[in-house]
């Protein structure tokens, strides 16, 4: 994962402006859901993933820095996290995730502490 949790890694294969809604999201140990919404904003890029029945309809906010690669042909996004790390992440708050630097800091800190060495 990159040092900037809110920016895509140069090696992820992301092209700004690509519509990622509906792409499947794959953790290191299996599928976790589909992209419900996303942002390419500089220093504030993220994915909102609908986990469906896997964790009872929870939505999770994944900073773009957690994305390891994107396969546009297969419509899949691979993240460098396990299912448990995602399941245990801070609750997605649709009212705070835009414009609340403290919320982004909380989520970014959680994922930063769970990055692989």
């Amino acid at each position: 994962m990159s040092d900037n949790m809110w920016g895509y890694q140069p090696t992820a294969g992301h092209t700004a402006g690509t519509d990622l809604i509906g792409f499947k999201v794959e953790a290191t140990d299996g599928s976790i859901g589909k992209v419900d919404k996303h942002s390419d904003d500089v220093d504030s890029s993220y994915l909102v993933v609908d986990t469906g029945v896997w964790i009872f309809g929870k939505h999770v906010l994944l900073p773009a820095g957690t994305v390891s690669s994107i396969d546009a042909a297969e419509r899949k996004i691979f993240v460098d996290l396990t299912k448990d790390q995602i399941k245990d992440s801070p609750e997605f708050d649709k009212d705070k995730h835009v414009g609340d630097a403290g919320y982004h800091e909380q989520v970014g800190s959680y994922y930063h502490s769970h990055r692989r060495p």
Side-chain angles (χ1 to χ4, degrees):
M1 287 184 253
S2 69
D3 287 334
N4 174 15
M5 292 302 296
W6 300 99
Y8 287 94
Q9 300 177 51
T11 56
H14 177 67
T15 303
T18 301
D19 184 3
L20 301 175
I21 294 174
F23 274 50
K24 289 183 179 178
V25 181
E26 301 284 332
T28 57
D29 57 353
S31 180
I32 62 155
K34 292 185 177 180
V35 175
D36 192 41
K37 65 193 296 188
H38 67 96
S39 167
D40 286 339
D41 294 347
V42 174
D43 294 331
S44 188
S45 298
Y46 61 82
L47 304 171
V48 175
V49 180
D50 179 353
T51 62
V53 296
W54 172 56
I55 46 177
F56 307 107
K58 180 177 174 181
H59 284 72
V60 293
L61 180 67
L62 297 179
T66 63
V67 174
S68 57
S69 66
I70 298 172
D71 185 335
E74 293 289 322
R75 296 182 50 85
K76 288 185 178 179
I77 297 171
F78 298 87
V79 295
D80 196 16
L81 298 162
T82 67
K83 290 169 118 180
D84 281 344
Q85 287 172 328
I86 294 165
K87 185 172 72 172
D88 295 339
S89 68
E91 185 74 42
F92 172 67
D93 188 328
K94 65 180 174 52
D95 297 323
K96 286 186 179 178
H97 88 92
V98 176
D100 186 328
Y103 178 64
H104 272 209
E105 189 174 314
Q106 175 193 5
V107 172
S109 293
Y110 172 81
Y111 287 116
H112 190 77
S113 69
H114 287 85
R115 67 192 322 168
R116 290 182 178 186

